[in-house]
Amino acid sequence: MQTEIKLLDVVALTEDLPDKKVYRGQVGTIVELLAEGVFLVEFSDNQGHTYAMLSLKSEQLMVLYDEPIELQVA
């Protein structure tokens, strides 16, 4: 299921970026739409301290959901 990524969506990184010190599965928030398919993502710890702020492509992200999603069958 592919969904459009929007401002303030909670996302997970889908690949390791060791040069940026972030890894697959780490959770961030979309804080700015930079261009078509490019987003500024803020990664912060449980105390709210930002540890990374990265420009990432939609292919590097997966939107996370905390509520049921209605799937539409074509």
Side-chain angles (χ1 to χ4, degrees):
M1 178 178 130
Q2 181 65 21
T3 184
E4 184 178 330
I5 297 174
K6 303 178 302 300
L7 189 64
L8 300 181
D9 274 350
V10 176
V11 295
L13 193 59
T14 60
E15 63 183 61
D16 293 336
L17 300 173
D19 57 321
K20 307 289 185 188
K21 298 182 180 169
V22 292
Y23 299 89
R24 185 170 61 98
Q26 286 188 279
V27 176
T29 302
I30 303 295
V31 294
E32 192 170 339
L33 309 174
L34 299 175
E36 183 72 29
V38 181
F39 308 91
L40 185 62
V41 182
E42 178 181 29
F43 294 88
S44 54
D45 63 21
N46 289 337
Q47 288 74 42
H49 300 110
T50 300
Y51 60 86
M53 184 86 73
L54 303 172
S55 172
L56 298 168
K57 296 179 183 177
S58 59
E59 299 84 27
Q60 297 173 288
L61 303 168
M62 179 175 79
V63 177
L64 300 178
Y65 300 95
D66 59 359
E67 296 179 8
I69 300 171
E70 295 293 324
L71 296 179
Q72 296 181 356
V73 178

